[in-house]
Amino acid sequence: MATSSATFEEAFPFGAGAVKRYRLGNGLRVLILVDKSAPVVSYHTWFGVGSRHEKPGKTGLAHLFEHLMFNETESMKAGEFDRKLEESGAESNAATWVDWTYYHEALPKDRLALAVKLESERMARLVLRTPQVDSEKEVVANERRYRVEDDVEGAASELLYKTAFRKHPYHWPTIGWMSDIEGFTPEDCAAFYRTYYAPNNAAVIVVGDVREADVLSRIEGAYGAIPRAEIPAEDYEPEPPQTDARLVELKKPTASEKLYLGYHGPALGDADHVPLTLLSEILFGGRASRAHRALVQGAELASDVRGWVSTFRDPGLFEMHVTARPGVDSHVALAALDKEIERVSRELVTDDELARAKARLELGLLQSLDTASGKAETIGFYETVLGDPSAVFRRLRETRHVTASELRAAMRRTLLGQRTIVRVIPDGSEGNE
């Protein structure tokens, strides 16, 4: 079969090196970072499809593929994919979320050809007949029972997004509704595969002790003949501003009341995302944070407080979780948390708090780049969500320059709006923690 040669597009500074992006004639993006710090290679394949691309009645398809892709292909029996990698000393896995799905391998550097062969095979020749689909549907249904329906946090998180979002596809869970999972057909899967698992909807990221020319040659040979697909334009309604406070209650086998709060927040690429991430660190980042000191250490109202800002392509949520101590009314814990939120709306955070939050975020970011796998994941994530594989370093520069005044302004734009609260109440069952 004929192959298409790669065209160089751009180089992006990335730490001490540079990520080079190429594109094959069928649209496949190939991003390479040569990193000779260890004799390994990390091979990632990121697809621009997540639960946001599904339709009502067909939720969970993106996640189902995370399972189907480890099954049978036209030239490999079920289980052969994993066996070949394990025999080569490789590790592999996959993940799906709202905006993306990715598959990855970490291998000794002399096994790069195996990753290229296996990944190109399952991108083009996956088997999607009734036995394969029914088998993985059952696995996913059991996963949903375990991680959502029988799990307090999973059920509450699902209800939080279902309540906070009414128009945007972030309304439904990535794992999908159970009735949708049970109803998938091989035809549903084949249509989804033909549409989204195409080279022009994917980026291959290779990081490690490799030669760039060798990587390109192998990828051109394996992927070049895979045809591109017609990727449909997204058709969804943006989430309108939330104008009402939303409170729902959920009874679960838990020993104490819990709160799951969500304020509509900025998209990953918005200017407010960095200052709000710093604010989350000041409020919830460790034992020295404001919420921990006020609710856990001081008044002893809660056993756990957490918060984070979602990293979605479209506006997501600034989430906050509180686990009240047994016997404490969650309304009392909520009042204490609201006091801390009101305080940061009124007063500037201190220089020490801001410096500590910046240092913690920078340390976490740099630690995530310690390995080839960490670099590949970071490159793939920012390439897929923002179209900029080196955006992590731009965010690092922005983090260093945020002022207390900018942080407060971002806070007022987000945390003074209407919010959604899921209140989890013990159901009185014997299974309480």
Side-chain angles (χ1 to χ4, degrees):
M1 290 187 289
T3 59
S4 55
S5 59
T7 302
F8 174 73
E9 287 193 338
E10 192 171 356
F12 301 85
F14 197 90
V19 178
K20 294 183 181 178
R21 184 205 279 150
Y22 296 83
R23 192 181 296 264
L24 269 58
N26 58 12
L28 179 70
R29 286 162 287 150
V30 182
L31 293 93
I32 303 171
L33 174 65
V34 177
D35 176 2
K36 296 185 179 296
S37 56
V40 298
V41 58
S42 185
Y43 194 94
H44 281 224
T45 308
W46 285 70
F47 291 94
V49 61
S51 56
R52 64 178 291 146
H53 300 91
E54 300 160 349
K55 302 297 181 188
K58 301 294 180 186
T59 65
L61 264 174
H63 172 259
L64 179 65
F65 266 83
E66 193 186 307
H67 293 256
L68 289 167
M69 288 283 278
F70 288 90
N71 210 308
E72 188 176 348
T73 70
E74 292 176 9
S75 64
M76 287 189 294
K77 298 178 181 177
E80 197 171 348
F81 183 94
D82 287 332
R83 181 178 60 76
K84 287 177 179 291
L85 287 171
E86 289 169 4
E87 288 174 350
S88 296
E91 295 179 352
S92 70
N93 213 329
T96 309
W97 210 9
V98 293
D99 298 320
W100 43 258
T101 300
Y102 78 97
Y103 302 86
H104 60 94
E105 291 86 32
L107 314 94
K109 69 174 189 176
D110 61 352
R111 304 304 291 165
L112 168 66
L114 177 64
V116 175
K117 179 179 184 299
L118 295 180
E119 287 294 359
S120 60
E121 167 73 13
R122 65 177 176 175
M123 178 188 285
R125 290 177 285 279
L126 191 66
V127 173
L128 295 168
R129 301 192 186 99
T130 299
Q132 291 83 8
V133 172
D134 283 354
S135 172
E136 297 308 326
K137 280 166 55 177
E138 185 59 31
V139 172
V140 172
N142 285 332
E143 181 181 341
R144 181 182 162 82
R145 292 185 188 100
Y146 177 72
R147 292 191 175 181
V148 179
E149 294 166 10
D150 295 336
D151 183 81
V152 174
E153 183 158 345
S157 180
E158 180 176 283
L159 184 56
L160 177 66
Y161 276 80
K162 178 185 177 183
T163 307
F165 289 92
R166 293 176 172 171
K167 298 292 185 181
H168 194 283
Y170 293 159
H171 168 81
W172 58 73
T174 299
I175 198 169
W177 304 123
M178 183 63 91
S179 58
D180 293 352
I181 295 168
E182 292 172 340
F184 290 143
T185 66
E187 290 74 23
D188 292 330
C189 297
F192 193 84
Y193 182 63
R194 285 194 303 269
T195 302
Y196 294 110
Y197 276 71
N200 53 318
N201 196 42
V204 171
I205 293 91
V206 181
V207 177
D209 188 359
V210 296
R211 291 189 303 110
E212 195 173 303
D214 178 49
V215 172
L216 285 173
S217 174
R218 293 182 185 280
I219 289 179
E220 287 171 2
Y223 292 86
I226 301 175
R228 60 192 303 138
E230 290 293 329
I231 310 297
E234 284 199 66
D235 181 18
Y236 66 89
E237 293 185 54
E239 187 65 25
Q242 183 171 337
T243 57
D244 58 326
R246 299 170 192 169
L247 171 64
V248 289
E249 294 186 340
L250 180 66
K251 288 189 176 181
K252 282 290 180 182
T254 173
S256 63
E257 296 185 9
K258 301 174 187 291
L259 296 169
Y260 294 78
L261 292 75
Y263 292 83
H264 283 278
L268 179 65
D270 288 352
D272 278 350
H273 198 278
V274 168
L276 285 176
T277 301
L278 281 165
L279 174 60
S280 180
E281 187 65 34
I282 290 169
L283 285 174
F284 302 104
R287 296 179 59 83
S289 67
R290 289 192 179 193
H292 197 279
R293 283 186 283 127
L295 276 75
V296 178
Q297 302 170 45
E300 298 187 345
L301 298 172
S303 57
D304 183 42
V305 290
R306 287 172 286 154
W308 57 86
V309 185
S310 59
T311 53
F312 298 167
R313 186 194 309 163
D314 290 338
L317 293 181
F318 190 155
E319 288 188 56
M320 303 174 187
H321 296 181
V322 177
T323 298
R325 287 183 181 273
V328 172
D329 188 325
S330 59
H331 292 99
V332 177
L334 180 60
L337 178 61
D338 281 344
K339 185 177 178 182
E340 294 303 316
I341 294 173
E342 189 276 334
R343 184 180 159 206
V344 290
S345 77
R346 177 171 36 85
E347 302 172 359
L348 293 174
V349 299
T350 68
D351 291 343
D352 284 347
E353 285 179 310
L354 189 55
R356 188 166 58 245
K358 290 179 178 180
R360 284 173 59 94
L361 287 180
E362 181 167 345
L363 177 62
L365 184 154
L366 295 177
Q367 286 178 332
S368 73
L369 300 178
D370 275 349
T371 64
S373 292
K375 293 183 178 83
E377 181 174 349
T378 300
I379 292 167
F381 172 76
Y382 283 105
E383 167 71 11
T384 304
V385 179
L386 297 181
D388 179 359
S390 62
V392 65
F393 291 100
R394 173 172 54 76
R395 284 178 59 85
L396 177 57
R397 292 191 295 273
E398 292 172 356
T399 298
R400 290 168 177 163
H401 291 98
V402 169
T403 67
S405 177
E406 291 168 339
L407 186 150
R408 184 171 64 180
M411 178 275 166
R412 288 173 172 172
R413 284 190 284 269
T414 299
L415 298 188
L416 298 184
Q418 296 287 2
R419 66 187 176 187
T420 299
I421 299 177
V422 174
R423 182 177 177 230
V424 181
I425 304 169
D427 65 1
S429 71
E430 293 182 354
N432 286 353
E433 300 161 342

